[in-house]
Coordinates of all heavy atoms in Angstrom, one line a residue:
M63 N 26.6 -4.5 -7.1 CA 27.4 -5.7 -6.8 C 28.6 -5.8 -7.7 O 29.6 -6.3 -7.1 CB 26.5 -6.8 -6.9 CG 25.4 -7.0 -6.0 SD 25.9 -6.9 -4.2 CE 26.6 -8.5 -3.9
S64 N 28.6 -5.2 -8.9 CA 29.9 -5.4 -9.7 C 31.0 -4.6 -9.0 O 32.2 -5.0 -9.0 CB 29.7 -4.9 -11.1 OG 29.3 -3.5 -11.0
S65 N 30.7 -3.5 -8.3 CA 31.8 -2.8 -7.7 C 32.4 -3.7 -6.5 O 33.6 -3.6 -6.2 CB 31.3 -1.3 -7.2 OG 30.3 -1.5 -6.3
Y66 N 31.4 -4.3 -5.8 CA 31.8 -5.2 -4.7 C 32.8 -6.2 -5.2 O 33.9 -6.5 -4.7 CB 30.6 -5.7 -4.0 CG 30.9 -6.8 -2.9 CD1 31.5 -6.4 -1.7 CD2 30.8 -8.1 -3.2 CE1 31.9 -7.3 -0.8 CE2 31.1 -9.1 -2.3 CZ 31.7 -8.7 -1.0 OH 32.0 -9.7 -0.1
A67 N 32.3 -6.9 -6.3 CA 33.1 -8.0 -6.9 C 34.5 -7.5 -7.3 O 35.5 -8.2 -7.1 CB 32.4 -8.6 -8.0
R68 N 34.5 -6.3 -7.9 CA 35.8 -5.7 -8.3 C 36.8 -5.5 -7.1 O 38.0 -5.8 -7.2 CB 35.5 -4.5 -9.1 CG 36.7 -3.8 -9.8 CD 36.3 -2.7 -10.6 NE 35.2 -2.8 -11.5 CZ 34.0 -2.2 -11.3 NH1 33.8 -1.4 -10.2 NH2 32.9 -2.4 -12.0
R69 N 36.2 -4.9 -6.1 CA 37.0 -4.6 -4.8 C 37.5 -5.9 -4.2 O 38.6 -6.0 -3.7 CB 36.2 -3.8 -3.9 CG 36.0 -2.4 -4.3 CD 35.2 -1.6 -3.4 NE 34.8 -0.3 -3.8 CZ 33.7 0.2 -3.9 NH1 32.6 -0.4 -3.5 NH2 33.5 1.3 -4.4
V70 N 36.7 -7.0 -4.2 CA 37.1 -8.3 -3.6 C 38.2 -8.9 -4.4 O 39.2 -9.3 -3.9 CB 35.9 -9.2 -3.5 CG1 36.3 -10.7 -3.2 CG2 34.9 -8.8 -2.5
L71 N 38.1 -8.8 -5.7 CA 39.2 -9.3 -6.6 C 40.5 -8.6 -6.4 O 41.6 -9.1 -6.3 CB 38.7 -9.3 -8.0 CG 37.7 -10.3 -8.4 CD1 37.2 -10.0 -9.9 CD2 38.2 -11.6 -8.3
L72 N 40.4 -7.2 -6.2 CA 41.6 -6.4 -6.1 C 42.2 -6.6 -4.7 O 43.4 -6.6 -4.6 CB 41.3 -4.9 -6.3 CG 41.0 -4.6 -7.8 CD1 40.5 -3.1 -7.9 CD2 42.1 -4.9 -8.8
K73 N 41.3 -6.7 -3.7 CA 41.9 -6.9 -2.3 C 42.3 -8.3 -2.0 O 43.2 -8.5 -1.1 CB 40.8 -6.5 -1.3 CG 40.6 -5.0 -1.1 CD 39.7 -4.7 0.0 CE 40.4 -4.4 1.3 NZ 39.5 -4.0 2.4
G74 N 41.8 -9.3 -2.7 CA 42.2 -10.6 -2.5 C 41.4 -11.4 -1.4 O 41.8 -12.5 -1.1
N75 N 40.5 -10.7 -0.7 CA 39.8 -11.4 0.3 C 38.2 -11.2 0.1 O 37.9 -10.2 -0.4 CB 40.2 -11.1 1.7 CG 40.0 -9.6 2.0 OD1 39.7 -8.8 1.1 ND2 40.0 -9.3 3.3
V76 N 37.4 -12.2 0.7 CA 36.0 -12.1 0.5 C 35.4 -11.7 1.8 O 35.7 -12.3 2.8 CB 35.4 -13.4 0.0 CG1 33.8 -13.3 0.0 CG2 36.0 -13.8 -1.3
E77 N 34.6 -10.6 1.8 CA 33.9 -10.1 3.1 C 32.5 -10.6 3.0 O 31.9 -10.5 1.9 CB 33.9 -8.6 3.1 CG 35.3 -8.0 3.2 CD 36.0 -8.2 4.6 OE1 35.3 -8.5 5.6 OE2 37.2 -8.3 4.6
K78 N 32.0 -11.2 4.1 CA 30.6 -11.7 4.1 C 29.7 -10.5 4.1 O 29.9 -9.6 5.0 CB 30.4 -12.5 5.3 CG 29.1 -13.1 5.4 CD 28.8 -13.9 6.7 CE 27.4 -14.4 6.6 NZ 27.0 -14.9 7.9
I79 N 28.7 -10.5 3.3 CA 27.7 -9.5 3.4 C 26.4 -10.0 4.1 O 25.9 -11.1 3.6 CB 27.3 -9.0 1.9 CG1 28.5 -8.4 1.3 CG2 26.1 -8.1 1.9 CD1 28.2 -7.8 -0.1
D80 N 26.1 -9.5 5.1 CA 25.0 -10.0 6.0 C 23.8 -9.2 5.6 O 23.7 -8.0 5.9 CB 25.3 -9.9 7.5 CG 24.2 -10.4 8.4 OD1 23.6 -11.4 8.0 OD2 24.1 -9.9 9.4
V81 N 22.8 -9.8 4.9 CA 21.5 -9.2 4.4 C 20.4 -9.9 5.1 O 20.4 -11.1 5.4 CB 21.5 -9.1 3.0 CG1 22.5 -8.2 2.3 CG2 21.4 -10.4 2.4
D82 N 19.2 -9.2 5.1 CA 18.0 -9.8 5.7 C 17.4 -10.4 4.4 O 16.8 -9.8 3.5 CB 17.2 -8.6 6.2 CG 15.8 -9.1 6.7 OD1 15.7 -10.4 6.9 OD2 15.0 -8.4 7.0
R83 N 17.5 -11.8 4.4 CA 16.9 -12.5 3.3 C 15.4 -12.3 3.1 O 14.9 -12.2 2.0 CB 17.2 -14.1 3.5 CG 16.7 -14.9 2.5 CD 17.3 -14.7 1.2 NE 16.7 -15.4 0.1 CZ 17.1 -15.8 -1.0 NH1 18.4 -15.4 -1.3 NH2 16.5 -16.5 -1.8
A84 N 14.6 -12.0 4.3 CA 13.2 -11.8 4.2 C 12.9 -10.5 3.4 O 11.9 -10.5 2.7 CB 12.6 -11.8 5.6
S85 N 13.8 -9.5 3.6 CA 13.6 -8.3 2.9 C 13.8 -8.4 1.4 O 13.0 -7.9 0.6 CB 14.5 -7.2 3.4 OG 14.3 -6.9 4.7
I86 N 14.8 -9.2 1.0 CA 15.1 -9.4 -0.3 C 13.9 -10.2 -1.0 O 13.4 -9.9 -2.1 CB 16.4 -10.3 -0.5 CG1 17.5 -9.3 -0.1 CG2 16.6 -10.7 -2.0 CD1 18.9 -10.1 -0.1
D87 N 13.4 -11.2 -0.3 CA 12.3 -12.0 -0.8 C 11.0 -11.2 -0.9 O 10.3 -11.3 -1.9 CB 12.0 -13.2 0.1 CG 13.1 -14.3 0.1 OD1 13.9 -14.3 -0.9 OD2 13.2 -15.1 1.1
K88 N 10.8 -10.2 0.0 CA 9.6 -9.4 0.0 C 9.6 -8.4 -1.3 O 8.7 -8.4 -2.0 CB 9.5 -8.7 1.3 CG 8.2 -7.7 1.3 CD 8.1 -7.0 2.6 CE 6.9 -6.0 2.5 NZ 6.8 -5.3 3.7
I89 N 10.8 -7.8 -1.4 CA 11.0 -7.0 -2.6 C 10.9 -7.7 -3.8 O 10.2 -7.3 -4.8 CB 12.3 -6.2 -2.5 CG1 12.3 -5.3 -1.3 CG2 12.6 -5.5 -3.8 CD1 13.6 -4.6 -1.0
Y90 N 11.4 -9.0 -4.0 CA 11.4 -9.8 -5.1 C 9.9 -10.1 -5.4 O 9.6 -10.0 -6.6 CB 12.3 -11.1 -4.9 CG 12.1 -12.0 -6.1 CD1 12.8 -11.8 -7.3 CD2 11.2 -13.0 -6.0 CE1 12.6 -12.7 -8.3 CE2 11.0 -14.0 -7.0 CZ 11.8 -13.7 -8.2 OH 11.6 -14.7 -9.2
H91 N 9.2 -10.4 -4.4 CA 7.8 -10.8 -4.6 C 7.0 -9.6 -5.1 O 6.2 -9.8 -6.1 CB 7.2 -11.4 -3.3 CG 5.8 -11.7 -3.5 ND1 5.3 -12.8 -4.1 CD2 4.6 -11.1 -2.9 CE1 4.0 -12.8 -4.1 NE2 3.5 -11.8 -3.4
E92 N 7.3 -8.4 -4.5 CA 6.5 -7.2 -5.0 C 6.9 -6.9 -6.5 O 6.0 -6.5 -7.2 CB 7.0 -6.0 -4.0 CG 6.2 -6.2 -2.7 CD 6.7 -5.0 -1.7 OE1 6.7 -3.8 -2.3 OE2 6.8 -5.2 -0.6
L93 N 8.2 -7.0 -6.8 CA 8.6 -6.7 -8.2 C 8.0 -7.7 -9.1 O 7.4 -7.2 -10.2 CB 10.1 -6.8 -8.3 CG 10.9 -5.6 -7.8 CD1 12.4 -6.0 -7.9 CD2 10.7 -4.4 -8.6
L94 N 7.9 -9.0 -8.8 CA 7.2 -9.9 -9.6 C 5.8 -9.6 -9.8 O 5.2 -9.7 -11.0 CB 7.5 -11.3 -9.0 CG 7.1 -12.5 -9.9 CD1 7.9 -12.6 -11.1 CD2 7.3 -13.8 -9.0
K95 N 5.1 -9.3 -8.7 CA 3.7 -9.0 -8.7 C 3.3 -7.8 -9.5 O 2.5 -7.8 -10.5 CB 3.1 -8.8 -7.3 CG 1.7 -8.6 -7.2 CD 1.2 -8.6 -5.7 CE 1.7 -7.3 -5.1 NZ 1.2 -7.0 -3.8
E96 N 4.2 -6.7 -9.4 CA 3.9 -5.5 -10.1 C 4.3 -5.6 -11.6 O 3.7 -5.0 -12.5 CB 4.6 -4.3 -9.5 CG 4.0 -3.9 -8.1 CD 2.5 -3.8 -8.1 OE1 1.9 -3.4 -9.0 OE2 2.0 -4.1 -7.0
G97 N 5.3 -6.5 -11.9 CA 5.7 -6.7 -13.2 C 4.6 -7.4 -14.0 O 4.1 -7.2 -15.1
T98 N 3.9 -8.4 -13.3 CA 2.7 -9.1 -13.9 C 1.7 -8.1 -14.2 O 1.0 -8.2 -15.1 CB 2.3 -10.3 -12.8 OG1 3.4 -11.2 -12.6 CG2 1.1 -11.0 -13.4
N99 N 1.3 -7.3 -13.1 CA 0.3 -6.2 -13.3 C 0.6 -5.4 -14.6 O -0.3 -5.1 -15.4 CB 0.2 -5.4 -12.1 CG -0.5 -6.1 -10.9 OD1 -1.0 -7.2 -11.2 ND2 -0.4 -5.6 -9.7
L100 N 1.9 -5.0 -14.7 CA 2.3 -4.1 -15.8 C 2.1 -4.8 -17.1 O 1.7 -4.3 -18.1 CB 3.7 -3.7 -15.6 CG 4.2 -2.6 -16.6 CD1 3.4 -1.3 -16.5 CD2 5.6 -2.3 -16.2
N101 N 2.5 -6.2 -17.1 CA 2.3 -7.0 -18.4 C 0.9 -7.0 -18.7 O 0.5 -7.0 -19.9 CB 3.0 -8.3 -18.1 CG 4.4 -8.3 -18.3 OD1 5.1 -7.4 -18.9 ND2 5.1 -9.3 -17.6
Q102 N 0.0 -7.3 -17.8 CA -1.4 -7.4 -18.0 C -2.0 -6.1 -18.6 O -2.8 -6.0 -19.5 CB -2.2 -7.8 -16.7 CG -1.9 -9.2 -16.3 CD -2.6 -9.6 -15.0 OE1 -3.0 -8.7 -14.3 NE2 -2.7 -10.8 -14.7
L103 N -1.5 -5.0 -18.1 CA -2.0 -3.7 -18.5 C -1.6 -3.5 -19.9 O -2.3 -3.0 -20.7 CB -1.4 -2.6 -17.5 CG -1.6 -1.2 -18.0 CD1 -3.2 -0.9 -17.9 CD2 -0.9 -0.2 -17.1
M104 N -0.4 -3.8 -20.2 CA 0.2 -3.6 -21.5 C -0.6 -4.5 -22.5 O -0.8 -4.0 -23.7 CB 1.7 -3.8 -21.7 CG 2.5 -2.7 -21.0 SD 2.3 -1.1 -21.6 CE 1.2 -0.4 -20.3
Y105 N -0.8 -5.7 -22.1 CA -1.6 -6.6 -23.0 C -3.0 -6.0 -23.2 O -3.4 -6.0 -24.4 CB -1.7 -8.0 -22.3 CG -2.5 -9.0 -23.1 CD1 -2.0 -9.6 -24.2 CD2 -3.9 -9.2 -22.8 CE1 -2.8 -10.6 -24.9 CE2 -4.7 -10.0 -23.5 CZ -4.1 -10.7 -24.6 OH -4.9 -11.6 -25.4
F106 N -3.6 -5.6 -22.2 CA -5.0 -5.0 -22.5 C -4.9 -3.8 -23.4 O -5.7 -3.7 -24.3 CB -5.6 -4.6 -21.1 CG -6.9 -3.8 -21.2 CD1 -8.0 -4.5 -21.4 CD2 -6.9 -2.4 -21.2 CE1 -9.2 -3.7 -21.6 CE2 -8.1 -1.7 -21.3 CZ -9.3 -2.3 -21.6
V107 N -3.9 -2.9 -23.2 CA -3.8 -1.7 -24.0 C -3.5 -2.1 -25.4 O -4.2 -1.6 -26.4 CB -2.8 -0.7 -23.5 CG1 -2.4 0.3 -24.6 CG2 -3.2 -0.1 -22.2
N108 N -2.7 -3.2 -25.6 CA -2.3 -3.6 -26.9 C -3.7 -4.2 -27.7 O -3.8 -4.0 -28.8 CB -1.2 -4.4 -27.1 CG 0.1 -3.8 -26.9 OD1 0.2 -2.6 -27.3 ND2 1.0 -4.3 -26.2
A109 N -4.3 -5.0 -26.9 CA -5.5 -5.8 -27.4 C -6.7 -4.8 -27.7 O -7.4 -5.1 -28.6 CB -5.9 -6.9 -26.5
Q110 N -7.0 -3.9 -26.8 CA -8.1 -3.1 -26.9 C -7.8 -1.7 -27.5 O -8.8 -1.0 -27.9 CB -8.7 -2.9 -25.5 CG -9.0 -4.1 -24.7 CD -10.1 -5.0 -25.3 OE1 -11.1 -4.5 -25.9 NE2 -10.0 -6.2 -25.4
G111 N -6.7 -1.3 -27.5 CA -6.4 0.0 -28.2 C -6.3 1.1 -27.1 O -6.9 0.9 -26.0
L112 N -5.7 2.2 -27.4 CA -5.5 3.2 -26.4 C -6.8 3.9 -25.9 O -7.0 4.2 -24.8 CB -4.6 4.4 -26.9 CG -3.2 4.0 -26.9 CD1 -2.3 5.0 -27.6 CD2 -2.6 3.8 -25.5
P113 N -7.8 4.0 -26.8 CA -9.1 4.7 -26.4 C -9.8 3.8 -25.3 O -10.5 4.4 -24.5 CB -9.9 4.7 -27.6 CG -8.9 4.7 -28.7 CD -7.8 3.9 -28.3
A114 N -9.5 2.6 -25.2 CA -10.2 1.8 -24.2 C -9.6 1.8 -22.8 O -10.2 1.2 -21.8 CB -10.3 0.2 -24.7
Y115 N -8.4 2.3 -22.7 CA -7.8 2.2 -21.4 C -8.4 3.1 -20.3 O -8.9 4.2 -20.6 CB -6.3 2.3 -21.5 CG -5.8 3.7 -21.6 CD1 -6.1 4.7 -20.7 CD2 -4.7 4.0 -22.4 CE1 -5.5 6.0 -20.7 CE2 -4.1 5.2 -22.5 CZ -4.5 6.3 -21.7 OH -4.0 7.4 -21.7
N116 N -8.2 2.8 -19.0 CA -8.7 3.6 -17.9 C -7.3 4.3 -17.4 O -6.5 3.7 -16.9 CB -9.2 2.8 -16.8 CG -9.6 3.6 -15.6 OD1 -9.1 4.6 -15.3 ND2 -10.6 2.9 -14.9
E117 N -7.3 5.6 -17.6 CA -6.1 6.4 -17.2 C -5.8 6.3 -15.8 O -4.6 6.1 -15.5 CB -6.3 7.8 -17.7 CG -5.1 8.8 -17.5 CD -5.4 10.1 -18.0 OE1 -6.1 10.3 -19.0 OE2 -4.8 11.0 -17.3
K118 N -6.8 6.3 -14.9 CA -6.4 6.2 -13.5 C -5.9 4.8 -13.1 O -5.0 4.8 -12.3 CB -7.8 6.4 -12.7 CG -8.2 7.8 -12.6 CD -9.5 8.1 -11.8 CE -9.8 9.5 -11.9 NZ -11.1 9.7 -11.2
A119 N -6.3 3.8 -13.7 CA -5.8 2.3 -13.5 C -4.3 2.3 -14.0 O -3.5 1.7 -13.4 CB -6.6 1.3 -14.3
V120 N -4.0 3.0 -15.2 CA -2.7 3.0 -15.7 C -1.7 3.7 -14.7 O -0.7 3.2 -14.3 CB -2.6 3.7 -17.0 CG1 -1.2 3.8 -17.5 CG2 -3.5 2.9 -18.1
F121 N -2.2 4.9 -14.2 CA -1.3 5.7 -13.3 C -1.2 4.9 -12.0 O -0.2 5.0 -11.4 CB -1.9 7.1 -13.1 CG -1.5 7.9 -14.4 CD1 -2.5 8.4 -15.1 CD2 -0.2 8.2 -14.6 CE1 -2.2 9.2 -16.3 CE2 0.2 9.0 -15.7 CZ -0.9 9.5 -16.6
R122 N -2.2 4.2 -11.5 CA -2.2 3.5 -10.3 C -1.1 2.4 -10.4 O -0.3 2.2 -9.5 CB -3.4 2.9 -9.9 CG -4.3 3.6 -8.8 CD -5.4 2.8 -8.2 NE -6.1 2.0 -9.1 CZ -7.2 2.4 -9.8 NH1 -7.7 3.7 -9.7 NH2 -7.8 1.6 -10.7
T123 N -1.1 1.7 -11.5 CA -0.2 0.6 -11.8 C 1.2 1.1 -11.9 O 2.1 0.5 -11.2 CB -0.6 -0.2 -13.0 OG1 -1.9 -0.7 -12.9 CG2 0.4 -1.3 -13.4
L124 N 1.4 2.2 -12.6 CA 2.8 2.8 -12.8 C 3.3 3.3 -11.4 O 4.4 3.1 -11.2 CB 2.7 3.9 -13.8 CG 2.4 3.4 -15.3 CD1 2.4 4.6 -16.2 CD2 3.5 2.4 -15.7
E125 N 2.4 3.8 -10.6 CA 2.8 4.4 -9.3 C 3.2 3.1 -8.4 O 4.2 3.2 -7.7 CB 1.7 5.1 -8.6 CG 2.0 5.6 -7.2 CD 3.2 6.6 -7.2 OE1 3.4 7.3 -8.2 OE2 3.8 6.7 -6.2
K126 N 2.6 2.0 -8.5 CA 3.0 0.9 -7.6 C 4.3 0.3 -8.1 O 5.2 0.0 -7.3 CB 1.9 -0.2 -7.8 CG 0.7 0.1 -6.9 CD -0.4 -1.0 -7.2 CE -1.7 -0.7 -6.5 NZ -2.7 -1.7 -6.7
V127 N 4.6 0.2 -9.4 CA 5.8 -0.2 -9.9 C 7.0 0.8 -9.5 O 8.0 0.3 -9.1 CB 5.8 -0.3 -11.6 CG1 7.2 -0.4 -12.1 CG2 4.8 -1.4 -11.9
Y128 N 6.6 2.1 -9.6 CA 7.6 3.1 -9.2 C 8.0 2.9 -7.7 O 9.2 3.0 -7.2 CB 7.1 4.5 -9.4 CG 8.0 5.6 -8.9 CD1 9.1 6.0 -9.5 CD2 7.7 6.2 -7.6 CE1 9.9 6.9 -9.0 CE2 8.5 7.2 -7.2 CZ 9.6 7.5 -7.8 OH 10.4 8.5 -7.3
Q129 N 6.9 2.8 -6.8 CA 7.1 2.6 -5.4 C 8.0 1.3 -5.1 O 8.9 1.4 -4.2 CB 5.8 2.5 -4.6 CG 5.0 3.8 -4.6 CD 5.8 4.9 -4.0 OE1 6.6 4.8 -3.0 NE2 5.6 6.1 -4.5
V130 N 7.8 0.2 -5.7 CA 8.6 -0.9 -5.5 C 10.0 -0.6 -6.0 O 10.9 -1.1 -5.3 CB 8.0 -2.3 -6.3 CG1 8.9 -3.4 -6.0 CG2 6.6 -2.5 -5.7
G131 N 10.2 0.0 -7.1 CA 11.5 0.4 -7.5 C 12.2 1.3 -6.5 O 13.4 1.1 -6.3
R132 N 11.5 2.1 -5.9 CA 12.2 3.0 -4.8 C 12.6 2.2 -3.7 O 13.5 2.4 -3.1 CB 11.1 4.1 -4.4 CG 10.9 5.1 -5.4 CD 12.1 6.1 -5.5 NE 12.4 6.7 -4.2 CZ 13.7 6.8 -3.8 NH1 14.7 6.5 -4.6 NH2 13.9 7.4 -2.6
K133 N 11.7 1.1 -3.2 CA 12.1 0.3 -2.1 C 13.4 -0.5 -2.4 O 14.3 -0.5 -1.6 CB 11.0 -0.7 -1.9 CG 9.8 -0.2 -1.2 CD 8.8 -1.3 -0.8 CE 7.6 -0.8 -0.3 NZ 6.6 -1.8 -0.1
L134 N 13.5 -1.0 -3.7 CA 14.7 -1.7 -4.2 C 15.9 -0.7 -4.1 O 17.0 -1.0 -3.6 CB 14.5 -2.2 -5.5 CG 15.8 -3.0 -6.1 CD1 16.1 -4.2 -5.2 CD2 15.3 -3.5 -7.5
D135 N 15.7 0.5 -4.6 CA 16.8 1.5 -4.6 C 17.2 1.9 -3.2 O 18.5 1.9 -2.9 CB 16.4 2.8 -5.4 CG 17.4 3.8 -5.6 OD1 18.5 3.3 -6.0 OD2 17.2 4.9 -5.4
C136 N 16.3 2.0 -2.3 CA 16.7 2.3 -0.9 C 17.4 1.1 -0.2 O 18.3 1.2 0.5 CB 15.4 2.6 -0.1 SG 14.7 4.2 -0.5
F137 N 16.9 -0.1 -0.6 CA 17.7 -1.3 0.0 C 19.1 -1.3 -0.6 O 20.0 -1.6 0.2 CB 16.8 -2.5 -0.5 CG 17.4 -3.8 0.1 CD1 17.2 -4.3 1.3 CD2 18.1 -4.7 -0.8 CE1 17.6 -5.4 1.8 CE2 18.7 -5.8 -0.3 CZ 18.5 -6.2 1.0
I138 N 19.3 -1.1 -1.8 CA 20.6 -1.1 -2.3 C 21.6 0.0 -1.8 O 22.7 -0.3 -1.4 CB 20.6 -1.1 -3.9 CG1 20.0 -2.3 -4.4 CG2 21.9 -0.8 -4.5 CD1 19.7 -2.2 -6.0
D139 N 20.9 1.1 -1.6 CA 21.6 2.3 -0.9 C 22.1 1.9 0.5 O 23.3 2.2 0.9 CB 20.8 3.5 -0.8 CG 20.6 4.3 -2.3 OD1 21.5 4.0 -3.1 OD2 19.7 5.1 -2.3
E140 N 21.2 1.2 1.2 CA 21.5 0.8 2.6 C 22.7 -0.1 2.6 O 23.6 -0.1 3.4 CB 20.3 0.3 3.3 CG 20.6 -0.2 4.6 CD 21.0 0.9 5.6 OE1 20.5 2.1 5.4 OE2 21.8 0.7 6.6
L141 N 22.6 -1.2 1.7 CA 23.8 -2.1 1.5 C 25.1 -1.4 1.2 O 26.1 -1.7 1.8 CB 23.5 -3.1 0.4 CG 22.5 -4.3 0.7 CD1 22.3 -5.1 -0.4 CD2 23.0 -5.0 2.0
E142 N 25.0 -0.5 0.3 CA 26.3 0.3 0.0 C 26.8 1.1 1.1 O 28.0 1.2 1.3 CB 26.0 1.3 -1.3 CG 25.8 0.5 -2.6 CD 25.5 1.4 -3.7 OE1 25.1 2.5 -3.6 OE2 25.6 1.0 -4.8
K143 N 25.9 1.7 1.9 CA 26.3 2.5 3.1 C 26.9 1.6 4.1 O 27.9 1.9 4.8 CB 25.2 3.2 3.7 CG 24.7 4.5 2.9 CD 23.4 5.0 3.6 CE 22.8 6.1 2.7 NZ 21.5 6.6 3.2
R144 N 26.4 0.4 4.3 CA 26.9 -0.6 5.3 C 28.2 -1.2 4.9 O 29.0 -1.4 5.8 CB 25.8 -1.6 5.5 CG 26.1 -2.5 6.7 CD 25.0 -3.6 6.8 NE 23.7 -3.1 6.7 CZ 22.6 -4.0 6.6 NH1 22.8 -5.2 6.6 NH2 21.4 -3.5 6.5
Y145 N 28.3 -1.5 3.6 CA 29.5 -2.3 3.3 C 30.5 -1.5 2.4 O 31.8 -1.9 2.3 CB 29.1 -3.5 2.5 CG 28.4 -4.5 3.3 CD1 27.0 -4.6 3.3 CD2 29.0 -5.2 4.3 CE1 26.4 -5.4 4.2 CE2 28.4 -6.0 5.1 CZ 27.0 -6.1 5.0 OH 26.3 -7.0 5.9
F146 N 30.4 -0.4 1.9 CA 31.3 0.4 1.0 C 31.5 1.7 1.7 O 30.7 2.7 1.4 CB 30.8 0.6 -0.4 CG 30.5 -0.8 -1.1 CD1 29.3 -1.0 -1.6 CD2 31.3 -1.8 -0.9 CE1 29.0 -2.3 -2.2 CE2 31.0 -3.1 -1.5 CZ 29.8 -3.2 -2.2
V147 N 32.5 1.9 2.5 CA 32.7 3.1 3.2 C 34.1 3.7 2.5 O 35.1 3.0 2.5 CB 33.0 2.9 4.7 CG1 33.3 4.2 5.3 CG2 31.8 2.2 5.3
G148 N 34.0 4.8 1.9 CA 35.2 5.5 1.3 C 35.7 4.7 0.1 O 36.9 4.7 -0.2
G149 N 34.9 4.0 -0.6 CA 35.3 3.3 -1.6 C 35.9 1.9 -1.4 O 36.4 1.2 -2.4
D150 N 36.0 1.6 -0.1 CA 36.6 0.3 0.2 C 35.6 -0.7 0.8 O 34.6 -0.2 1.4 CB 37.7 0.4 1.2 CG 39.0 1.1 0.7 OD1 39.2 0.9 -0.5 OD2 39.6 1.9 1.4
V151 N 35.7 -2.0 0.7 CA 34.9 -2.9 1.3 C 35.1 -2.8 2.8 O 36.3 -2.7 3.3 CB 35.2 -4.4 0.8 CG1 34.3 -5.3 1.6 CG2 34.9 -4.4 -0.7
K152 N 34.1 -2.7 3.5 CA 34.2 -2.5 5.0 C 34.7 -3.9 5.7 O 34.5 -4.9 5.2 CB 32.7 -2.2 5.5 CG 32.7 -1.7 6.9 CD 31.4 -1.4 7.3 CE 31.3 -0.9 8.7 NZ 30.0 -0.5 9.1

C-alpha cells in the first residue's frame, strides 16, 4: 500500500481501489483465529516446557498459520496485478 500512496502523491490524483470487503474480513478473521491458536500454543510450551509439547499439534498449528499467510499474500498479489501495471496506478 505504501507504493500505492507514493504513486498517488506523485500523480496528484486518487484512484478508487475496488476490493471485495468480504474477502478482507474473512482473511482478517482467519489471521486473528490462527494468531490466537499460536499464542495459546506458545503459552502452553512456555508453561509446560518443551518436553510436554505435542510435535504434531505444533506443526498443524504452524501449517494453518502458514496457509492463512499464503492466502493474504495471494490477495495482495491480486491487488497489485489489478491496480499496478508497469509501475503506474491503473
Side-chain angles (χ1 to χ4, degrees):
M63 288 310 281
S64 63
S65 61
Y66 173 75
R68 194 175 309 110
R69 288 181 185 125
V70 167
L71 288 172
L72 293 173
K73 283 184 95 174
N75 62 345
V76 177
E77 299 288 331
K78 180 182 177 193
I79 296 180
D80 185 31
V81 295
D82 179 14
R83 179 64 189 204
S85 294
I86 294 173
D87 289 342
K88 182 179 177 184
I89 292 171
Y90 174 79
H91 178 72
E92 289 180 37
L93 282 171
L94 189 62
K95 184 174 72 172
E96 295 310 327
T98 300
N99 290 343
L100 189 59
N101 284 336
Q102 290 173 347
L103 174 66
M104 292 299 104
Y105 176 80
F106 174 80
V107 169
N108 285 327
Q110 303 297 321
L112 284 175
Y115 81 48
N116 178 336
E117 187 176 322
K118 289 182 182 178
V120 170
F121 284 111
R122 260 195 320 271
T123 301
L124 293 175
E125 179 63 26
K126 288 179 183 178
V127 170
Y128 174 78
Q129 292 300 326
V130 175
R132 288 289 304 138
K133 284 183 186 178
L134 180 60
D135 192 42
C136 290
F137 182 79
I138 292 170
D139 285 346
E140 181 60 35
L141 283 178
E142 287 177 343
K143 287 177 190 173
R144 191 182 310 167
Y145 292 103
F146 306 127
V147 178
D150 291 328
V151 175
K152 191 174 183 182

